[in-house]
Structures are given as structure tokens and as C-alpha cells.
Amino acid sequence: MAQRYKYEILLMSLLAHLYIGIILSDLPFYTKVIWPVNMLVIGVASIGVFMEKGRSKNIIKNSLLALAIILPISIPVVGHLQYFMTILSAMYCLFFGFILIEILRYLVRPNYIDTDIISASACGFFLLIEIATFLFQALYYLDNTAIKNIDATQAATIYMDLVYFSSITVTTIGFGDIVPNSHGTKLIVALFGVASQFYTVVLIGILISKFVSQQEK
């Protein structure tokens, strides 16, 4: 069953990881418990994506997953150290980027469209938001003036503000309440806006092509 619904399971775990703050008000509990648990769930959910993908890919994925679970658990102990949160954020970018690449490889392969293709497409979009969130977070921890109007009360509030900022950037809504404040950050934010539009346009073309091909058959 896990293999059959692997993209649906991954999609649900990504949504929970990004937007659980909607229903969760205990932020210290989120940082200490929910965050590591969410990463474990995403790791388990991604197993199906990497089935029959070769030993080396699974070793890389499992290594990144181990770090993705261990690092947030370490925040109460070593989170105050300089560059720790930057390293954590960069590692998450690698982890989610690795999954995204595998999903993109899957999307361009088959000549048909089904629920797996639709679910994998949605996973790709939310993985873009994950990568943007942790890249912006890495930039923020390197220089807390790089992005303005972030609630820096604690790690969880920074993360949730950046999930919001990444979501409105990738969807090109751009309310302007949180804004990049350096030339480098502005260009990176702009790049993610362009990348998300490119993903959407190319994805629509791929889905239409698959649908037409399927109808012709």
C-alpha cells in the first residue's frame, strides 16, 4: 500500500511539515518534538520514491535523512552556536533537493497521466517551497538583516514566517509584508519566483502532452 500511494503519502507529509503551524500554538513543543517527527515522517514517506533506484541513491537519501532528524533534536543543546542553523538549513536544502530531482525524473518519463503523476507534480511544487524556505533561512541566520520583518522570537517563528514568505514568493503573490533587504537576497528571491513559474509552465506542458498521448492511444 505504501508503494502504491507513495506520492500521496509524501504530499501529505510535506503539507504537514510546512503548514502544521496553522493548528499548533505551542512553538517550543514544535521545535523540540514536532519538527523531528515531521522529518521522520517525510523520510519514511520518501522511501517509496527511491524504491528500485539503486543502492547509492538510497545511501545518500538515508544519510541526509539521518542528519535531517538529528540536527533539529540538537537545537536545544547546540542551536546557539554560530553557523549551526545555517548548516542545518543548507542540509535541508540538499535533502529536499535530492527528493525533488528524483520526482522530476519520474514526471518526464511515462507517456500517460494518472493520479501518481498528479500527486508527484504537487509534491514537486511543495518541495520548491521547502527548498526556498530553508535557503532563505540559511541566508537569514547568516545575516539577520537580509530579510526584514521576520519574527525572531524563536526558531519556530522564524521558520513559520519563512514558510509564509516562500509560499507567497513561489506563488508570486508577494504581499510585501516580509521583504528581502540585500541585493543578493533580492536576486535569490527573484530567481525562485522565476523558477516556480518555469516549473508550472513546463509541468502544464508535460501534463497536456501526456494527456494527448494517452487519448491517442
Side-chain angles (χ1 to χ4, degrees), residues 7 23 34 51 67 74 88 99 106 115 145 172-173 188 202:
Y7 295 110
I23 59 173
I34 301 300
M51 283 184 176
L67 289 172
S74 307
L88 178 147
I99 299 174
Y106 167 71
T115 55
T145 66
T172 68
I173 297 173
I188 292 172
V202 172

Side-chain angles (χ1 to χ4, degrees), residues 28-195:
F29 178 72
Y30 171 83
T31 303
K32 294 178 182 178
V33 179
I34 301 300
W35 192 355
V37 169
N38 272 342
M39 292 311 303
L40 177 60
V41 171
I42 290 175
V44 172
S46 67
I47 290 174
V49 177
F50 288 92
M51 283 184 176
E52 302 176 359
K53 299 297 181 182
R55 186 167 176 267
S56 60
K57 284 187 179 181
N58 279 284
I59 289 174
I60 295 172
K61 190 268 295 182
N62 291 335
S63 299
L64 291 172
L65 173 61
L67 289 172
I69 296 170
I70 292 170
L71 288 178
I73 294 174
S74 307
I75 289 176
V77 180
V78 295
H80 64 282
L81 296 177
Q82 189 178 20
Y83 302 126
F84 175 82
M85 291 301 292
T86 301
I87 293 170
L88 178 147
S89 303
M91 188 281 306
Y92 275 120
C93 288
L94 292 174
F95 175 68
F96 288 116
F98 193 65
I99 299 174
L100 176 61
I101 289 170
E102 199 57 44
I103 284 179
L104 293 177
R105 287 165 60 89
Y106 167 71
L107 286 175
V108 299
R109 199 162 43 239
N111 291 321
Y112 58 85
I113 185 168
D114 59 7
T115 55
D116 275 355
I117 295 292
I118 300 299
S119 298
S121 302
C123 285
F125 191 79
F126 287 108
L127 283 166
L128 275 176
I129 295 176
E130 293 273 16
I131 295 167
T133 297
F134 286 105
L135 180 57
F136 298 155
Q137 183 170 278
L139 294 171
Y140 181 80
Y141 278 108
L142 275 175
D143 177 9
N144 60 14
T145 66
I147 303 175
K148 292 197 301 184
N149 303 328
I150 295 291
D151 181 354
T153 307
Q154 51 189 299
T157 58
I158 293 172
Y159 168 74
M160 290 179 186
D161 272 0
L162 288 171
V163 168
Y164 162 75
F165 177 59
S166 299
S167 299
I168 64 172
T169 296
V170 168
T171 55
T172 68
I173 297 173
F175 288 118
D177 48 348
I178 298 175
V179 293
N181 194 39
S182 68
H183 292 301
T185 309
K186 288 176 182 177
L187 292 174
I188 292 172
V189 170
L191 179 62
F192 262 95
V194 172

Side-chain angles (χ1 to χ4, degrees), residues 2-18:
Q3 173 65 8
R4 172 65 183 86
Y5 297 104
K6 56 183 178 291
Y7 295 110
E8 289 85 350
I9 294 170
L10 178 59
L11 177 59
M12 292 300 103
S13 65
L14 289 170
L15 288 171
H17 181 242
L18 286 167

